[in-house]
Amino acid sequence: MKKLKVLLDEETIAKRVRELGEQITRDYADAEHLVVVPIMKGSFLFAADLIRQIDRELSVEFLGLRSYGAGTETSGVVQITYDLTQSVTHQHVLVVEDIVDTGLSMRYLLENLGTRQPRSLKLCSLLHKPARTRVKVPIDYLGFTIDDHFVVGYGLDYAEKFRNLPYIGVIEN
Ligand code: IMP
Ligand code: MG
Protein backbone atom coordinates (compact mmCIF):
# COMPACT_ATOMS: atom_id res chain seq x y z
CA MET A 1 0.00 0.00 0.00
CA LYS A 2 1.37 3.40 -0.98
CA LYS A 3 1.75 6.17 1.61
CA LEU A 4 -0.31 9.30 1.15
CA LYS A 5 0.10 12.83 2.41
CA VAL A 6 -3.05 14.94 2.78
CA LEU A 7 -3.00 18.00 0.52
CA LEU A 8 -6.63 19.16 0.81
CA ASP A 9 -8.74 17.77 3.62
CA GLU A 10 -12.48 17.09 3.58
CA GLU A 11 -13.46 20.32 5.29
CA THR A 12 -11.32 22.48 3.02
CA ILE A 13 -12.84 20.84 -0.05
CA ALA A 14 -16.41 21.12 1.25
CA LYS A 15 -16.00 24.83 2.04
CA ARG A 16 -14.63 25.60 -1.43
CA VAL A 17 -17.35 23.53 -3.13
CA ARG A 18 -19.97 25.55 -1.25
CA GLU A 19 -18.37 28.80 -2.42
CA LEU A 20 -18.25 27.61 -6.03
CA GLY A 21 -21.89 26.56 -5.84
CA GLU A 22 -22.89 29.97 -4.51
CA GLN A 23 -20.95 31.74 -7.25
CA ILE A 24 -22.50 29.55 -9.96
CA THR A 25 -25.95 30.08 -8.47
CA ARG A 26 -25.45 33.85 -8.71
CA ASP A 27 -23.95 33.78 -12.20
CA TYR A 28 -26.79 31.71 -13.67
CA ALA A 29 -29.54 33.77 -12.05
CA ASP A 30 -30.99 34.63 -15.47
CA ALA A 31 -30.61 31.16 -16.96
CA GLU A 32 -33.79 29.20 -17.32
CA HIS A 33 -31.93 25.91 -17.24
CA LEU A 34 -28.35 24.71 -16.85
CA VAL A 35 -26.82 21.50 -18.21
CA VAL A 36 -24.03 20.28 -15.93
CA VAL A 37 -21.56 17.97 -17.69
CA PRO A 38 -19.34 16.00 -15.27
CA ILE A 39 -16.32 14.47 -16.98
CA MET A 40 -15.96 10.79 -16.07
CA LYS A 41 -14.65 9.34 -14.13
CA GLY A 42 -12.56 11.73 -12.08
CA SER A 43 -15.15 14.43 -11.41
CA PHE A 44 -18.02 12.25 -10.22
CA LEU A 45 -17.64 13.03 -6.52
CA PHE A 46 -16.91 16.71 -7.04
CA ALA A 47 -19.90 17.06 -9.37
CA ALA A 48 -22.17 15.20 -6.94
CA ASP A 49 -21.25 17.63 -4.16
CA LEU A 50 -21.22 20.71 -6.39
CA ILE A 51 -24.69 20.31 -7.90
CA ARG A 52 -26.19 20.09 -4.40
CA GLN A 53 -24.79 23.58 -3.79
CA ILE A 54 -26.29 25.03 -7.00
CA ASP A 55 -29.74 26.46 -6.39
CA ARG A 56 -30.89 26.56 -10.02
CA GLU A 57 -32.89 24.31 -12.30
CA LEU A 58 -30.39 21.95 -13.86
CA SER A 59 -29.89 18.60 -15.53
CA VAL A 60 -26.83 16.35 -15.57
CA GLU A 61 -25.26 14.83 -18.69
CA PHE A 62 -22.16 12.71 -18.22
CA LEU A 63 -19.30 12.65 -20.68
CA GLY A 64 -16.39 10.22 -20.69
CA LEU A 65 -12.92 11.20 -21.91
CA ARG A 66 -9.80 9.16 -22.29
CA SER A 67 -6.45 10.71 -22.96
CA TYR A 68 -3.97 8.13 -24.06
CA GLY A 69 -0.68 8.01 -22.27
CA ALA A 70 1.47 5.79 -20.13
CA GLY A 71 1.39 6.16 -16.35
CA THR A 72 0.80 9.70 -15.21
CA GLU A 73 1.59 11.47 -18.51
CA THR A 74 -0.92 12.36 -21.20
CA SER A 75 -0.01 12.05 -24.86
CA GLY A 76 -2.51 14.65 -25.92
CA VAL A 77 -4.55 12.19 -27.97
CA VAL A 78 -8.04 12.54 -26.56
CA GLN A 79 -11.07 10.37 -27.23
CA ILE A 80 -14.71 10.64 -26.15
CA THR A 81 -15.61 7.28 -24.59
CA TYR A 82 -19.14 8.21 -23.52
CA ASP A 83 -21.08 11.05 -25.09
CA LEU A 84 -23.99 13.21 -23.97
CA THR A 85 -27.42 11.63 -24.38
CA GLN A 86 -29.15 14.95 -25.12
CA SER A 87 -28.47 17.81 -27.48
CA VAL A 88 -26.97 20.89 -25.82
CA THR A 89 -27.72 23.25 -28.71
CA HIS A 90 -29.04 26.58 -27.30
CA GLN A 91 -28.43 25.34 -23.72
CA HIS A 92 -26.22 26.78 -20.99
CA VAL A 93 -23.50 24.17 -20.49
CA LEU A 94 -21.18 23.91 -17.49
CA VAL A 95 -18.39 21.32 -17.83
CA VAL A 96 -17.21 19.94 -14.48
CA GLU A 97 -13.67 18.54 -14.49
CA ASP A 98 -11.46 17.14 -11.75
CA ILE A 99 -8.15 18.65 -12.80
CA VAL A 100 -6.68 20.70 -15.61
CA ASP A 101 -3.14 19.47 -16.01
CA THR A 102 -1.60 19.99 -19.49
CA GLY A 103 -4.93 21.46 -20.66
CA LEU A 104 -5.04 19.16 -23.69
CA SER A 105 -8.19 17.28 -22.63
CA MET A 106 -10.21 20.42 -21.92
CA ARG A 107 -9.04 22.18 -25.05
CA TYR A 108 -10.24 19.24 -27.10
CA LEU A 109 -13.52 18.96 -25.25
CA LEU A 110 -14.40 22.66 -25.21
CA GLU A 111 -13.74 22.83 -28.94
CA ASN A 112 -15.90 19.77 -29.51
CA LEU A 113 -18.79 21.01 -27.36
CA GLY A 114 -18.49 24.46 -28.94
CA THR A 115 -19.38 23.01 -32.34
CA ARG A 116 -22.72 21.85 -30.87
CA GLN A 117 -23.70 25.51 -30.51
CA PRO A 118 -24.55 25.78 -26.83
CA ARG A 119 -25.99 29.08 -25.65
CA SER A 120 -23.04 29.38 -23.27
CA LEU A 121 -20.13 27.11 -22.40
CA LYS A 122 -18.12 27.35 -19.18
CA LEU A 123 -15.62 25.21 -17.33
CA CYS A 124 -15.51 24.46 -13.62
CA SER A 125 -12.43 22.55 -12.48
CA LEU A 126 -11.70 21.44 -8.93
CA LEU A 127 -7.93 21.60 -9.46
CA HIS A 128 -5.40 23.29 -11.71
CA LYS A 129 -1.70 22.48 -12.04
CA PRO A 130 -0.31 25.55 -13.85
CA ALA A 131 3.28 24.22 -13.80
CA ARG A 132 2.27 21.61 -16.38
CA THR A 133 0.30 23.81 -18.78
CA ARG A 134 0.85 23.01 -22.46
CA VAL A 135 -2.23 24.77 -23.79
CA LYS A 136 -4.09 27.50 -21.94
CA VAL A 137 -7.77 26.90 -21.34
CA PRO A 138 -9.91 29.47 -19.54
CA ILE A 139 -11.21 28.04 -16.23
CA ASP A 140 -14.33 29.99 -15.27
CA TYR A 141 -14.65 28.42 -11.83
CA LEU A 142 -11.60 27.00 -10.09
CA GLY A 143 -11.42 25.19 -6.76
CA PHE A 144 -7.70 25.13 -6.02
CA THR A 145 -4.37 25.79 -7.73
CA ILE A 146 -1.86 23.11 -6.78
CA ASP A 147 1.85 22.52 -7.24
CA ASP A 148 3.20 19.91 -9.60
CA HIS A 149 2.28 16.75 -7.68
CA PHE A 150 0.32 13.74 -8.85
CA VAL A 151 -2.77 13.82 -6.65
CA VAL A 152 -5.40 11.20 -5.84
CA GLY A 153 -8.64 10.92 -3.90
CA TYR A 154 -12.06 12.59 -3.98
CA GLY A 155 -12.65 10.95 -7.36
CA LEU A 156 -9.11 11.20 -8.75
CA ASP A 157 -7.24 7.97 -9.34
CA TYR A 158 -3.86 6.45 -9.81
CA ALA A 159 -4.30 3.31 -11.96
CA GLU A 160 -8.03 3.37 -11.06
CA LYS A 161 -7.33 3.28 -7.31
CA PHE A 162 -7.80 5.83 -4.50
CA ARG A 163 -10.98 7.42 -5.92
CA ASN A 164 -12.78 6.66 -2.64
CA LEU A 165 -10.53 8.76 -0.40
CA PRO A 166 -12.59 11.61 1.12
CA TYR A 167 -9.59 13.96 0.86
CA ILE A 168 -7.06 14.83 -1.86
CA GLY A 169 -3.62 13.43 -1.22
CA VAL A 170 -0.20 13.13 -2.76
CA ILE A 171 1.43 9.74 -3.20
CA GLU A 172 4.78 9.62 -1.43
CA ASN A 173 7.36 7.22 -2.77
P1 IMP B 1 -4.79 17.11 -19.14
O1 IMP B 1 -3.31 16.82 -19.08
O2 IMP B 1 -5.11 18.51 -18.70
O3 IMP B 1 -5.34 16.76 -20.48
O4 IMP B 1 -5.48 16.15 -18.07
C1 IMP B 1 -5.93 14.89 -18.43
C2 IMP B 1 -6.53 14.13 -17.29
O5 IMP B 1 -5.46 13.51 -16.60
C3 IMP B 1 -7.30 14.86 -16.21
O6 IMP B 1 -8.63 15.09 -16.53
C4 IMP B 1 -7.22 13.85 -15.08
O7 IMP B 1 -8.24 12.88 -15.23
C5 IMP B 1 -5.86 13.24 -15.29
N1 IMP B 1 -4.89 13.82 -14.36
C6 IMP B 1 -4.04 14.85 -14.56
N2 IMP B 1 -3.31 15.11 -13.47
C7 IMP B 1 -3.73 14.23 -12.53
C8 IMP B 1 -3.39 14.00 -11.15
O8 IMP B 1 -2.52 14.65 -10.53
N3 IMP B 1 -4.06 13.00 -10.54
C9 IMP B 1 -5.01 12.24 -11.14
N4 IMP B 1 -5.37 12.43 -12.41
C10 IMP B 1 -4.75 13.41 -13.10
MG1 MG C 1 -10.26 13.61 -16.03
Side-chain angles (χ1 to χ4, degrees), residues 39-43 65-67 96-100 105-106 156-157 163:
I39 306 304
M40 296 193 286
K41 304 174 194 167
S43 78
L65 277 188
R66 175 159 59 211
S67 67
V96 177
E97 175 63 311
D98 53 356
I99 181 164
V100 176
S105 301
M106 282 306 101
L156 288 93
D157 74 306
R163 292 193 198 276

PDB file of all heavy atoms in Angstrom, residues 39-43 65-67 96-100 105-106 156-157 163, ligand 2:
ATOM      1  N   ILE A  39     -17.204  15.287 -16.164  1.00  0.00           N
ATOM      2  CA  ILE A  39     -16.320  14.470 -16.980  1.00  0.00           C
ATOM      3  C   ILE A  39     -15.922  13.225 -16.181  1.00  0.00           C
ATOM      4  O   ILE A  39     -15.356  13.319 -15.084  1.00  0.00           O
ATOM      5  CB  ILE A  39     -15.058  15.272 -17.402  1.00  0.00           C
ATOM      6  CG1 ILE A  39     -15.464  16.592 -18.089  1.00  0.00           C
ATOM      7  CG2 ILE A  39     -14.173  14.430 -18.319  1.00  0.00           C
ATOM      8  CD1 ILE A  39     -16.385  16.442 -19.287  1.00  0.00           C
ATOM      9  N   MET A  40     -16.242  12.076 -16.744  1.00  0.00           N
ATOM     10  CA  MET A  40     -15.964  10.794 -16.066  1.00  0.00           C
ATOM     11  C   MET A  40     -14.510  10.384 -16.320  1.00  0.00           C
ATOM     12  O   MET A  40     -13.975  10.675 -17.398  1.00  0.00           O
ATOM     13  CB  MET A  40     -16.879   9.715 -16.597  1.00  0.00           C
ATOM     14  CG  MET A  40     -18.341  10.002 -16.293  1.00  0.00           C
ATOM     15  SD  MET A  40     -19.355   8.577 -16.570  1.00  0.00           S
ATOM     16  CE  MET A  40     -19.406   8.509 -18.355  1.00  0.00           C
ATOM     17  N   LYS A  41     -13.956   9.662 -15.359  1.00  0.00           N
ATOM     18  CA  LYS A  41     -14.652   9.337 -14.132  1.00  0.00           C
ATOM     19  C   LYS A  41     -14.293  10.324 -13.010  1.00  0.00           C
ATOM     20  O   LYS A  41     -14.989  10.416 -12.013  1.00  0.00           O
ATOM     21  CB  LYS A  41     -14.264   7.919 -13.662  1.00  0.00           C
ATOM     22  CG  LYS A  41     -14.487   6.836 -14.651  1.00  0.00           C
ATOM     23  CD  LYS A  41     -13.895   5.519 -14.077  1.00  0.00           C
ATOM     24  CE  LYS A  41     -13.790   4.492 -15.180  1.00  0.00           C
ATOM     25  NZ  LYS A  41     -12.960   3.342 -14.745  1.00  0.00           N
ATOM     26  N   GLY A  42     -13.175  11.006 -13.190  1.00  0.00           N
ATOM     27  CA  GLY A  42     -12.555  11.731 -12.083  1.00  0.00           C
ATOM     28  C   GLY A  42     -13.407  12.755 -11.369  1.00  0.00           C
ATOM     29  O   GLY A  42     -13.181  13.032 -10.196  1.00  0.00           O
ATOM     30  N   SER A  43     -14.413  13.334 -12.054  1.00  0.00           N
ATOM     31  CA  SER A  43     -15.145  14.429 -11.406  1.00  0.00           C
ATOM     32  C   SER A  43     -16.456  13.986 -10.773  1.00  0.00           C
ATOM     33  O   SER A  43     -17.234  14.820 -10.341  1.00  0.00           O
ATOM     34  CB  SER A  43     -15.406  15.551 -12.419  1.00  0.00           C
ATOM     35  OG  SER A  43     -16.485  15.213 -13.256  1.00  0.00           O
ATOM     36  N   LEU A  65     -14.096  10.856 -21.089  1.00  0.00           N
ATOM     37  CA  LEU A  65     -12.923  11.200 -21.907  1.00  0.00           C
ATOM     38  C   LEU A  65     -11.792  10.262 -21.550  1.00  0.00           C
ATOM     39  O   LEU A  65     -11.616   9.903 -20.389  1.00  0.00           O
ATOM     40  CB  LEU A  65     -12.443  12.617 -21.580  1.00  0.00           C
ATOM     41  CG  LEU A  65     -13.077  13.817 -22.223  1.00  0.00           C
ATOM     42  CD1 LEU A  65     -12.262  15.051 -21.847  1.00  0.00           C
ATOM     43  CD2 LEU A  65     -13.169  13.685 -23.727  1.00  0.00           C
ATOM     44  N   ARG A  66     -11.023   9.912 -22.559  1.00  0.00           N
ATOM     45  CA  ARG A  66      -9.804   9.162 -22.290  1.00  0.00           C
ATOM     46  C   ARG A  66      -8.682   9.884 -23.008  1.00  0.00           C
ATOM     47  O   ARG A  66      -8.810  10.232 -24.186  1.00  0.00           O
ATOM     48  CB  ARG A  66      -9.930   7.741 -22.838  1.00  0.00           C
ATOM     49  CG  ARG A  66      -8.656   6.922 -22.706  1.00  0.00           C
ATOM     50  CD  ARG A  66      -8.928   5.445 -22.775  1.00  0.00           C
ATOM     51  NE  ARG A  66      -9.564   5.107 -24.047  1.00  0.00           N
ATOM     52  CZ  ARG A  66     -10.431   4.095 -24.210  1.00  0.00           C
ATOM     53  NH1 ARG A  66     -10.777   3.352 -23.184  1.00  0.00           N
ATOM     54  NH2 ARG A  66     -10.940   3.843 -25.389  1.00  0.00           N
ATOM     55  N   SER A  67      -7.626  10.164 -22.276  1.00  0.00           N
ATOM     56  CA  SER A  67      -6.448  10.709 -22.963  1.00  0.00           C
ATOM     57  C   SER A  67      -5.372   9.643 -22.873  1.00  0.00           C
ATOM     58  O   SER A  67      -5.008   9.208 -21.795  1.00  0.00           O
ATOM     59  CB  SER A  67      -6.000  12.037 -22.373  1.00  0.00           C
ATOM     60  OG  SER A  67      -5.520  11.883 -21.085  1.00  0.00           O
ATOM     61  N   VAL A  96     -17.811  20.107 -15.811  1.00  0.00           N
ATOM     62  CA  VAL A  96     -17.208  19.939 -14.482  1.00  0.00           C
ATOM     63  C   VAL A  96     -16.085  18.909 -14.579  1.00  0.00           C
ATOM     64  O   VAL A  96     -16.323  17.739 -14.867  1.00  0.00           O
ATOM     65  CB  VAL A  96     -18.260  19.510 -13.434  1.00  0.00           C
ATOM     66  CG1 VAL A  96     -17.597  19.271 -12.076  1.00  0.00           C
ATOM     67  CG2 VAL A  96     -19.346  20.574 -13.310  1.00  0.00           C
ATOM     68  N   GLU A  97     -14.857  19.374 -14.329  1.00  0.00           N
ATOM     69  CA  GLU A  97     -13.669  18.542 -14.489  1.00  0.00           C
ATOM     70  C   GLU A  97     -12.959  18.405 -13.145  1.00  0.00           C
ATOM     71  O   GLU A  97     -13.079  19.282 -12.279  1.00  0.00           O
ATOM     72  CB  GLU A  97     -12.759  19.191 -15.556  1.00  0.00           C
ATOM     73  CG  GLU A  97     -11.415  18.546 -15.779  1.00  0.00           C
ATOM     74  CD  GLU A  97     -11.458  17.111 -16.296  1.00  0.00           C
ATOM     75  OE1 GLU A  97     -12.199  16.293 -15.708  1.00  0.00           O
ATOM     76  OE2 GLU A  97     -10.735  16.806 -17.250  1.00  0.00           O
ATOM     77  N   ASP A  98     -12.210  17.321 -12.999  1.00  0.00           N
ATOM     78  CA  ASP A  98     -11.464  17.140 -11.747  1.00  0.00           C
ATOM     79  C   ASP A  98     -10.205  17.996 -11.702  1.00  0.00           C
ATOM     80  O   ASP A  98      -9.948  18.690 -10.732  1.00  0.00           O
ATOM     81  CB  ASP A  98     -11.130  15.654 -11.502  1.00  0.00           C
ATOM     82  CG  ASP A  98     -10.432  14.978 -12.679  1.00  0.00           C
ATOM     83  OD1 ASP A  98     -10.247  15.608 -13.747  1.00  0.00           O
ATOM     84  OD2 ASP A  98     -10.073  13.792 -12.547  1.00  0.00           O
ATOM     85  N   ILE A  99      -9.429  17.928 -12.812  1.00  0.00           N
ATOM     86  CA  ILE A  99      -8.154  18.647 -12.796  1.00  0.00           C
ATOM     87  C   ILE A  99      -7.746  19.044 -14.214  1.00  0.00           C
ATOM     88  O   ILE A  99      -7.908  18.258 -15.143  1.00  0.00           O
ATOM     89  CB  ILE A  99      -7.057  17.795 -12.106  1.00  0.00           C
ATOM     90  CG1 ILE A  99      -5.705  18.524 -12.047  1.00  0.00           C
ATOM     91  CG2 ILE A  99      -6.894  16.416 -12.752  1.00  0.00           C
ATOM     92  CD1 ILE A  99      -4.720  17.907 -11.054  1.00  0.00           C
ATOM     93  N   VAL A 100      -7.280  20.271 -14.342  1.00  0.00           N
ATOM     94  CA  VAL A 100      -6.684  20.701 -15.608  1.00  0.00           C
ATOM     95  C   VAL A 100      -5.173  20.640 -15.412  1.00  0.00           C
ATOM     96  O   VAL A 100      -4.612  21.361 -14.580  1.00  0.00           O
ATOM     97  CB  VAL A 100      -7.145  22.118 -16.017  1.00  0.00           C
ATOM     98  CG1 VAL A 100      -6.422  22.567 -17.284  1.00  0.00           C
ATOM     99  CG2 VAL A 100      -8.657  22.145 -16.233  1.00  0.00           C
ATOM    100  N   SER A 105      -6.853  17.894 -22.647  1.00  0.00           N
ATOM    101  CA  SER A 105      -8.193  17.275 -22.628  1.00  0.00           C
ATOM    102  C   SER A 105      -9.283  18.330 -22.729  1.00  0.00           C
ATOM    103  O   SER A 105     -10.231  18.195 -23.502  1.00  0.00           O
ATOM    104  CB  SER A 105      -8.419  16.481 -21.339  1.00  0.00           C
ATOM    105  OG  SER A 105      -7.462  15.476 -21.212  1.00  0.00           O
ATOM    106  N   MET A 106      -9.146  19.396 -21.920  1.00  0.00           N
ATOM    107  CA  MET A 106     -10.210  20.415 -21.916  1.00  0.00           C
ATOM    108  C   MET A 106     -10.204  21.249 -23.186  1.00  0.00           C
ATOM    109  O   MET A 106     -11.261  21.672 -23.649  1.00  0.00           O
ATOM    110  CB  MET A 106     -10.094  21.303 -20.669  1.00  0.00           C
ATOM    111  CG  MET A 106     -10.638  20.642 -19.431  1.00  0.00           C
ATOM    112  SD  MET A 106     -12.356  20.040 -19.608  1.00  0.00           S
ATOM    113  CE  MET A 106     -12.119  18.322 -19.875  1.00  0.00           C
ATOM    114  N   LEU A 156     -10.305  11.341  -7.895  1.00  0.00           N
ATOM    115  CA  LEU A 156      -9.114  11.204  -8.752  1.00  0.00           C
ATOM    116  C   LEU A 156      -8.389   9.898  -8.449  1.00  0.00           C
ATOM    117  O   LEU A 156      -8.319   9.468  -7.291  1.00  0.00           O
ATOM    118  CB  LEU A 156      -8.147  12.374  -8.554  1.00  0.00           C
ATOM    119  CG  LEU A 156      -8.616  13.707  -9.123  1.00  0.00           C
ATOM    120  CD1 LEU A 156      -9.335  14.518  -8.062  1.00  0.00           C
ATOM    121  CD2 LEU A 156      -7.459  14.502  -9.683  1.00  0.00           C
ATOM    122  N   ASP A 157      -7.836   9.308  -9.499  1.00  0.00           N
ATOM    123  CA  ASP A 157      -7.235   7.975  -9.343  1.00  0.00           C
ATOM    124  C   ASP A 157      -5.761   7.944  -9.705  1.00  0.00           C
ATOM    125  O   ASP A 157      -5.249   8.833 -10.396  1.00  0.00           O
ATOM    126  CB  ASP A 157      -7.945   6.981 -10.259  1.00  0.00           C
ATOM    127  CG  ASP A 157      -7.556   7.187 -11.728  1.00  0.00           C
ATOM    128  OD1 ASP A 157      -7.688   8.327 -12.218  1.00  0.00           O
ATOM    129  OD2 ASP A 157      -7.093   6.223 -12.363  1.00  0.00           O
ATOM    130  N   ARG A 163      -9.882   6.490  -5.667  1.00  0.00           N
ATOM    131  CA  ARG A 163     -10.985   7.422  -5.924  1.00  0.00           C
ATOM    132  C   ARG A 163     -11.859   7.638  -4.689  1.00  0.00           C
ATOM    133  O   ARG A 163     -12.535   8.655  -4.552  1.00  0.00           O
ATOM    134  CB  ARG A 163     -11.881   6.894  -7.060  1.00  0.00           C
ATOM    135  CG  ARG A 163     -11.210   6.877  -8.422  1.00  0.00           C
ATOM    136  CD  ARG A 163     -12.254   6.653  -9.508  1.00  0.00           C
ATOM    137  NE  ARG A 163     -11.667   6.209 -10.769  1.00  0.00           N
ATOM    138  CZ  ARG A 163     -11.152   7.010 -11.698  1.00  0.00           C
ATOM    139  NH1 ARG A 163     -11.147   8.306 -11.524  1.00  0.00           N
ATOM    140  NH2 ARG A 163     -10.646   6.512 -12.802  1.00  0.00           N
TER     141      ARG A 163
HETATM  142 MG    MG B   2     -10.257  13.614 -16.032  1.00  0.00          MG
END
